[in-house]
């Protein structure tokens, strides 16, 4: 009997590796949640030996989890490629793939005040209305947050509205946590944290990416291309406005200038934070860049960069 039990345990022990899936840990921007959920499903169907574990947060927070908290991760995908350049390269990553674009919009619902009259011309006036509540993500944690600041500054120029930025936000050159007028402005770590507040009617309007508004079936104001940060033709015009965000060290700042929106993705490479699954990470990125991956982004209201632009030493992608 004991012999039979030992044989059974031995068989089970040998079988464990056949059933245990290898994890691929991905930290990604909140705005990538929908397309990445579909990428995960399709990828795991194609490669059943892997288990994709996703953690959504503001892009800068994603990078800081690696660079400052040293949390294990295989991949970081950011809504702003410069987050990878500024916070991860060269110490925690060696390359940066520019793979997708987006643009800003103002989302709302039928519950939103003035929802029956708002449009791409009168939205600044409506947002300034004293009983209208506006949401945006934290500029120090999330690119959508500082892009909101840039959009409002561009709108001040485009519509020729004196002090529009100061009257709506009043932050000066940078945002300090908690300084917003909470009777008027609601701030959360990432833009997707505000979706439930919008749908519940706690806020009336939300500065968010157009793709996210589309994915959640929200009404939205389509901004003029000179404001939306979504058209490379207006690169110089975008660069006329800027906003400061916190830097790597306490008390330091990074000046963010307006520019067309470009998403970036990389693999974590560091002596003390080795990728949990390098081979799996490489396969996932290759799948994301494949036609099937690109189709997923397009279906979710997000344009892709085709072919993708690869900056830095991406030799790791050719090693597997």
């Amino acid at each position: 009997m004991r012999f039979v039990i030992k044989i059974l345990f031995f068989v089970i022990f040998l079988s464990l590796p056949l059933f245990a899936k290898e994890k691929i840990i991905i930290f990604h921007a909140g705005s990538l949640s929908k397309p990445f959920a579909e990428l995960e499903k399709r990828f795991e169907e194609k490669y059943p030996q892997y288990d994709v574990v996703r953690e959504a947060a503001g892009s800068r927070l994603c990078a800081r989890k690696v660079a400052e908290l040293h949390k294990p991760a295989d991949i970081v995908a950011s809504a702003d490629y410069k987050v990878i350049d500024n916070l991860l390269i060269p110490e925690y990553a060696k390359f940066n793939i520019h793979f997708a674009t987006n643009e800003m919009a103002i989302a709302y619902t039928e519950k939103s005040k003035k929802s029956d009259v708002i449009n791409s011309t009168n939205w600044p006036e409506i947002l300034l209305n004293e009983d209208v509540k506006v949401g945006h993500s934290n500029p120090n944690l999330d690119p959508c947050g500082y892009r909101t600041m840039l959009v409002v500054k561009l709108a001040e120029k485009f519509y020729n509205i004196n002090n529009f930025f100061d009257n709506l936000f009043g932050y000066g050159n940078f945002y300090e946590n908690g300084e917003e007028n909470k009777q008027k402005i609601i701030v959360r770590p990432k833009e997707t944290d505000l979706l439930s507040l919008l749908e519940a009617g706690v806020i009336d309007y939300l500065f968010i990416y157009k793709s996210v508004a589309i994915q959640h079936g929200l009404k939205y104001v389509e901004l003029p291309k000179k404001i939306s940060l979504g058209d490379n033709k207006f690169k110089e015009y975008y660069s006329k406005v800027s906003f400061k965000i916190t830097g790597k060290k306490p008390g330091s700042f990074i000046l963010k200038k307006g520019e067309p929106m470009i998403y970036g993705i990389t693999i974590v490479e560091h002596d003390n934070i080795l990728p949990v699954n390098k081979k799996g990470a490489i396969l996932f990125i290759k799948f994301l860049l494949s036609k099937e991956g690109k189709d997923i982004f397009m279906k979710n209201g997000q344009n892709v960069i085709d072919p993708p632009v690869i900056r830095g030493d991406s030799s790791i992608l050719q090693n597997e």
Side-chain angles (χ1 to χ4, degrees):
M1 185 68 179
R2 287 182 180 179
F3 178 75
V4 173
I5 292 173
K6 285 182 179 180
I7 291 294
L8 286 173
F9 273 116
F10 184 68
V11 170
I12 292 170
F13 177 77
L14 289 178
S15 300
L16 283 175
L18 299 177
F19 296 100
K21 293 190 175 186
E22 300 177 48
K23 291 183 178 180
I24 304 170
I25 301 175
I26 304 175
F27 295 165
H28 65 77
S31 61
L32 291 170
S33 294
K34 287 277 188 178
F36 267 49
E38 191 166 342
L39 283 168
E40 173 188 348
K41 181 176 181 293
R42 299 273 192 90
F43 179 83
E44 289 178 350
E45 288 172 354
K46 189 172 184 177
Y47 302 103
Q49 68 269 36
Y50 293 115
D51 176 23
V52 176
V53 179
R54 298 180 298 106
E55 194 171 309
S59 295
R60 302 190 84 236
L61 183 56
C62 287
R64 283 175 165 170
K65 285 177 183 177
V66 173
E68 296 174 13
L69 301 180
H70 292 179
K71 292 189 69 175
D74 298 297
I75 292 171
V76 174
S78 170
D80 183 352
Y81 75 96
K82 284 192 174 178
V83 169
I84 293 172
D85 288 348
N86 292 335
L87 299 181
L88 295 179
I89 292 176
E91 190 174 358
Y92 298 94
K94 301 295 185 287
F95 67 90
N96 192 347
I97 302 176
H98 305 175
F99 70 96
T101 64
N102 216 328
E103 61 184 287
M104 293 294 292
I106 302 170
Y108 63 99
T109 71
E110 291 180 353
K111 300 176 186 177
S112 303
K113 297 178 182 70
K114 309 287 186 181
S115 64
D116 57 332
V117 296
I118 193 168
N119 56 45
S120 61
T121 302
N122 65 11
W123 67 267
E125 175 188 347
I126 287 175
L127 264 55
L128 287 174
N129 193 292
E130 63 179 15
D131 62 348
V132 167
K133 285 196 172 183
V134 180
H136 71 78
S137 58
N138 188 325
N140 296 317
L141 300 177
D142 185 33
C144 193
Y146 56 72
R147 284 169 172 155
T148 297
M149 306 298 111
L150 297 170
V151 161
V152 172
K153 288 190 170 192
L154 284 169
E156 182 173 307
K157 293 172 63 65
F158 182 80
Y159 297 110
N160 195 26
I161 305 173
N162 289 332
N163 301 316
F164 176 46
F165 179 83
D166 290 340
N167 290 333
L168 183 60
F169 294 134
Y171 297 150
N173 292 325
F174 62 93
Y175 167 76
E176 292 188 43
N177 292 341
E179 73 167 304
E180 68 273 9
N181 173 9
K182 293 179 175 59
Q183 301 303 311
K184 174 71 177 176
I185 306 294
I186 304 295
V187 181
R188 292 292 184 269
K190 63 181 184 295
E191 81 284 351
T192 49
D193 293 335
L194 292 150
L195 288 170
S196 60
L197 299 182
L198 178 66
E199 291 164 351
V202 175
I203 56 177
D204 298 294
Y205 296 95
L206 170 60
F207 284 92
I208 201 164
Y209 299 132
K210 181 179 174 181
S211 68
V212 178
I214 291 171
Q215 291 159 16
H216 289 268
L218 297 169
K219 296 177 178 292
Y220 63 91
V221 176
E222 184 136 9
L223 298 173
K225 295 300 182 185
K226 273 195 166 184
I227 297 175
S228 71
L229 302 176
D231 194 328
N232 199 54
K233 288 189 298 186
F234 299 111
K235 184 176 181 178
E236 288 188 17
Y237 187 81
Y238 297 156
S239 69
K240 293 179 181 179
V241 297
S242 61
F243 191 76
K244 289 181 179 179
I245 58 174
T246 52
K248 285 185 178 181
K249 297 178 180 179
S252 67
F253 293 93
I254 297 170
L255 183 68
K256 300 298 297 184
K257 288 189 175 183
E259 64 176 348
M261 295 170 56
I262 297 174
Y263 283 60
I265 191 167
T266 191
I267 290 176
V268 175
E269 298 181 68
H270 189 271
D271 291 342
N272 295 326
I273 316 174
L274 294 175
V276 177
N277 193 330
K278 183 178 75 170
K279 184 176 180 180
I282 292 168
L283 282 174
F284 185 87
I285 287 183
K286 287 182 176 180
F287 180 72
L288 177 147
L289 298 176
S290 71
K291 183 183 184 303
E292 189 174 357
K294 290 171 183 174
D295 287 346
I296 289 171
F297 281 99
M298 297 292 284
K299 187 183 78 173
N300 281 279
Q302 198 162 357
N303 290 326
V304 297
I305 298 173
D306 192 11
V309 177
I310 304 177
R311 306 292 189 195
D313 179 10
S314 62
S315 59
I316 187 175
L317 297 177
Q318 279 76 51
N319 291 337
E320 295 291 339

